[in-house]
Amino acid sequence: LAGKVVSGIPEDDPRNPATIADNVGDNVGDVAGMGSDLFGSFGEATCAALVIAAQSHDLVSAGWDTLIFPLYISSVGILVCIATSFVATDFRPVRSEASIEEVLKTQLTLSTVGMTVAMFPVCAMFMPQEFYLGPKSFASACVEGVSTSKCVTMGPMSTFCCIAAGLWGGLIIGFVTEYYTSHSYSPVREVARSTETGAATNIIYGLALGYKSTIIPVGILAGIVFVAFSLMDMYGVALAALGMLGTLSTCLAIDVYGPICDNAGGIAEMAEMPETVREKTDALDAAGNTTAAIGKGFAIGSACLVGLALFGAFVTRAGLNLASVSLVSPLIFASLIFGAMIPYWFSAMTMKSVGQAANEMVKEVARQFREIPGLLEGTPGHAPPDHARCIKISTDASLREMVPPAVLVMTAPILTGMFFGVEAVVGLLAGGMASGVQLAISASNTGGAWDNAKKYVEKGSVVIDGVVQRKGSELHKAAVVGDTVGDPLKDTSGPALNILMKLMAIISLVFADFFMSINNGQGYFNIPRRVF
């Protein structure tokens, strides 16, 4: 904003005091932030699987190796990703601009194939043929006439199918995300061409793209949940989440590639290197935006499955049965509607926080341009810009502004459980996950599409009435507006919703016993349990 929109200088111009803050932000957001998010998903999915397995008499009786089977999934995944890492570095390195995305996608695909092959013997080795996912034994619980997904009759094969569903579902979600965010495909090119009539149509096209991009990923997630739950109840959902995260090492490497290339482009601009260098870094950065979006797709999909697995662990821990969590209960239905609103409340907080911090940053940059003689004009010998002040504004704002959203996410399930009981928490979690995953996917993909639409214009790929549109044109200015609006969507609200889905569920799980201690799980209001 400060450079392109307010002062009319390039994004990473060395005169702009906010450029270093931008580079630091790419690192803490897309490297540290996304890394900790995915690591948290892994840990929480493992926790959910272990909690559910620990409630099974048969899995506990089968031995330690069977009980800690979820840890074998992550262990095998690390080894497979180490092996496939040599593909992009030694066997099939990038040789041209066009092959950047192809090489990275190949590595992700090979990791998925390798993980699928490796997990089959591991499942056969450690999982029993028959088991019951509950406190009874298979022989006593799964008598003739009893039909439930808790009775597993083909243990190794069912386990493998759940993991494979997560693995391949995650890969497809990643590739669908790439289709909607890469300027190699028509959706982003349509958004870029829409800038011909100004920023408003760019915003409209970008929002429409984001909403449309939820269809296939959500359909795939629904399919994974159906298959996994049908085969192995909530334990299957937890294994599917771990399967989706099985290629985490490769996925995270591909994700982190994005901010590295973005920062390289910024350094090239600040160092006033030749235009050819900037063209190369822009090509790498455009591919990096797409790979970062693929990483976000994995993160959102896995967060949904992890949240559902933790939800299952909560239901198990609270001792609720199928009748207790019926959707036709007025309490559950009311809390489900309220829970579906929380992601919007949360997103409003995070979006406004980014807007306020950006406002403060723009004013600081304008102050420096006004008070430091020759800075904006680039007069030789002028005093250097105060980069530290801009970094401080961002850092202080991020720490200060994260408190209200965090309080919302943490207190919502606790207060609901305390006053309305465990059934209300069930509805709250279900509503939060159902709306959170849609909002996260659309926000992430809309922002990624706007960013790459801008880069598509900067490449000179948009031609209007025979005139090539480049940096500085009216089309580019409209594309910059879209990119600016998209940044808080793809880098703040979208990824932060992953945390919302998981944190609400894990807090509910941790406080399950506390909720049950209040009027036998009916809360301080002691609302009677009934259905319509």
Side-chain angles (χ1 to χ4, degrees):
L1 275 174
K4 287 188 172 182
V5 179
V6 179
S7 304
I9 59 177
E11 184 176 358
D12 294 302
D13 193 290
R15 293 171 289 175
N16 189 342
T19 50
I20 303 299
D22 181 25
N23 289 346
V24 173
D26 286 334
N27 276 304
V28 297
D30 284 341
V31 180
M34 187 57 66
S36 60
D37 178 14
L38 286 163
F39 174 76
S41 292
F42 225 143
E44 286 153 6
T46 305
C47 274
L50 291 173
V51 166
I52 296 168
Q55 310 297 318
S56 169
H57 172 271
D58 291 332
L59 291 181
V60 173
S61 302
W64 183 247
D65 286 335
T66 301
L67 188 62
I68 65 162
F69 176 77
L71 296 173
Y72 286 123
I73 302 174
S74 47
S75 304
V76 171
I78 291 169
L79 296 175
V80 167
C81 291
I82 288 172
T84 56
S85 67
F86 294 105
V87 174
T89 56
D90 295 279
F91 298 112
R92 200 185 174 198
V94 175
R95 301 191 188 281
S96 66
E97 182 182 318
S99 68
I100 299 170
E101 289 180 29
E102 185 185 337
V103 169
L104 293 170
K105 285 194 297 182
T106 301
Q107 185 172 335
L108 188 57
T109 306
L110 289 175
S111 297
T112 305
V113 171
M115 187 69 180
T116 307
V117 173
M119 281 313 300
F120 190 80
V122 175
C123 293
M125 198 179 304
F126 296 115
M127 295 304 289
Q129 191 65 29
E130 294 179 339
F131 55 91
Y132 177 68
L133 292 163
K136 298 179 182 178
S137 67
F138 182 86
S140 61
C142 303
V143 295
E144 191 175 344
V146 174
S147 177
T148 171
S149 55
K150 289 181 182 288
C151 293
V152 182
T153 53
M154 296 175 63
M157 182 54 72
S158 297
T159 304
F160 174 74
C161 288
C162 291
I163 296 169
L167 269 170
W168 288 94
L171 183 70
I172 296 167
I173 288 172
F175 286 170
V176 169
T177 303
E178 184 221 9
Y179 173 75
Y180 280 105
T181 56
S182 170
H183 61 48
S184 302
Y185 304 103
S186 58
V188 170
R189 294 183 178 188
E190 281 183 4
V191 173
R193 283 191 286 270
S194 72
T195 56
E196 180 184 2
T197 49
T201 46
N202 184 30
I203 300 292
I204 293 166
Y205 269 68
L207 288 173
L209 178 148
Y211 296 148
K212 190 178 179 182
S213 71
T214 63
I215 299 169
I216 297 174
V218 169
I220 289 168
L221 286 170
I224 292 171
V225 170
F226 181 80
V227 169
F229 194 93
S230 299
L231 291 173
M232 299 178 74
D233 207 74
M234 278 298 182
Y235 187 60
V237 176
L239 293 181
L242 284 168
M244 187 176 286
L245 291 163
T247 55
L248 176 65
S249 304
T250 298
C251 185
L252 199 54
I254 287 173
D255 179 60
V256 170
Y257 164 87
I260 291 172
C261 294
D262 194 355
N263 281 356
I267 292 168
E269 182 88 50
M270 285 185 281
E272 299 180 342
M273 297 178 80
E275 190 63 30
T276 52
V277 175
R278 185 68 213 216
E279 286 173 8
K280 291 280 193 301
T281 58
D282 278 350
L284 293 168
D285 187 19
N289 278 335
T290 303
T291 58
I294 290 174
K296 289 183 176 75
F298 264 88
I300 294 164
S302 62
C304 176
L305 293 179
V306 169
L308 189 56
L310 290 166
F311 171 84
F314 168 73
V315 170
T316 303
R317 187 71 181 166
L320 297 169
N321 55 35
L322 197 60
S324 304
V325 291
S326 170
L327 190 61
V328 293
S329 159
L331 179 60
I332 290 180
F333 197 78
S335 55
L336 186 143
I337 294 172
F338 185 82
M341 173 275 300
I342 287 180
Y344 291 89
W345 187 358
F346 180 85
S347 296
M349 286 180 168
T350 54
M351 289 284 286
K352 190 173 181 182
S353 295
V354 173
Q356 288 173 338
N359 196 20
E360 195 177 341
M361 183 83 76
V362 169
K363 288 178 179 177
E364 171 59 24
V365 171
R367 182 195 67 78
Q368 292 195 33
F369 280 148
R370 188 173 60 252
E371 295 179 7
I372 300 176
L375 177 59
L376 180 59
E377 297 79 12
T379 307
H382 67 74
D386 186 358
H387 297 114
R389 174 64 188 151
C390 291
I391 295 171
K392 188 176 188 303
I393 288 171
S394 264
T395 308
D396 290 351
S398 65
L399 294 172
R400 182 179 66 248
E401 297 293 334
M402 80 174 181
V403 175
V407 170
L408 170 66
V409 174
M410 289 189 287
T411 57
I414 294 174
L415 294 177
T416 302
M418 284 173 60
F419 291 103
F420 299 98
V422 289
E423 290 183 8
V425 176
V426 167
L428 186 84
L429 295 180
M433 274 186 287
S435 72
V437 68
Q438 332 269 346
L439 196 56
I441 292 171
S442 64
S444 178
N445 290 349
T446 294
W450 275 327
D451 196 340
N452 275 347
K454 179 199 72 174
K455 286 185 168 54
Y456 190 64
V457 173
E458 289 175 347
K459 275 180 68 179
S461 300
V462 179
V463 180
I464 305 295
D465 297 330
V467 179
V468 177
Q469 306 294 320
R470 293 185 182 275
K471 288 184 180 181
S473 65
E474 290 301 314
L475 262 78
H476 183 245
K477 290 176 183 176
V480 168
V481 172
D483 178 34
T484 309
V485 174
D487 277 342
L489 286 172
K490 72 180 173 70
D491 293 331
T492 306
S493 294
L497 285 167
N498 303 342
I499 311 298
L500 177 140
M501 289 186 279
K502 295 181 295 185
L503 191 57
M504 282 176 61
I506 203 160
I507 284 175
S508 302
L509 174 60
V510 170
F511 282 86
D513 290 344
F514 171 63
F515 298 153
M516 290 303 293
S517 70
I518 304 171
N519 289 326
N520 195 29
Q522 292 181 211
Y524 288 126
F525 292 161
N526 204 14
I527 298 174
R529 296 176 179 175
R530 57 192 175 88
V531 295
F532 288 123

